[in-house]
Amino acid sequence: MKTSPVRTVARLAVANRVSGIYLALVGGAMAFATVQPLFADNPDASLIWVWPALFTFPAFGFVAWLGEGSWGGEAPAWFFIGGIVLSALVQSLALGAVWQGLRGRRGNRGHLTTAN
């Protein structure tokens, strides 16, 4: 039975151990970055958003470059938050593909016997 490409991509990006841990890390950093300025009274509270960006950095570098080129350093917050989410999903897909490649496909392994 053949699975659809969309289901395969979704399984690689979300439904494996490595991608789940990575997405939980990024989601936790984003949740903390959202809540922390509510309780902080110092002017540097917005710098907490550096952590989610760093967790998604290789892909987020392109988003930052695009925001700098489009808005000249004054990109809206929705652009960067959406960029963090998109970057996390792209990197989660890459992590899932690497994880599957390292583990090998279970269907293609065959059964080992003493004759093999």
Side-chain angles (χ1 to χ4, degrees), residues 20-34:
I21 291 170
Y22 174 72
L23 289 175
L25 176 72
V26 173
M30 287 185 71
F32 185 73
T34 301

Side-chain angles (χ1 to χ4, degrees), residues 2-13:
K2 190 89 168 154
T3 61
S4 71
V6 173
R7 186 173 181 169
T8 303
V9 168
R11 210 168 73 238
L12 285 175

Side-chain angles (χ1 to χ4, degrees), residues 21-37 47-56 84:
I21 291 170
Y22 174 72
L23 289 175
L25 176 72
V26 173
M30 287 185 71
F32 185 73
T34 301
V35 173
Q36 195 266 344
L47 289 176
I48 194 70
W49 280 98
V50 169
W51 288 104
L54 285 176
F55 288 146
T56 60
I84 289 171

Side-chain angles (χ1 to χ4, degrees), residues 29-100:
M30 287 185 71
F32 185 73
T34 301
V35 173
Q36 195 266 344
L38 297 175
F39 300 109
D41 55 356
N42 58 355
D44 294 333
S46 65
L47 289 176
I48 194 70
W49 280 98
V50 169
W51 288 104
L54 285 176
F55 288 146
T56 60
F57 179 68
F60 185 73
F62 177 73
V63 173
W65 172 77
L66 190 62
E68 181 71 27
S70 299
W71 284 283
E74 296 295 323
W78 63 264
F79 180 77
F80 284 117
I81 292 171
I84 289 171
V85 170
L86 185 65
S87 299
L89 289 174
V90 166
Q91 290 187 174
S92 176
L93 175 66
L95 282 171
V98 168
W99 178 252
Q100 182 180 7

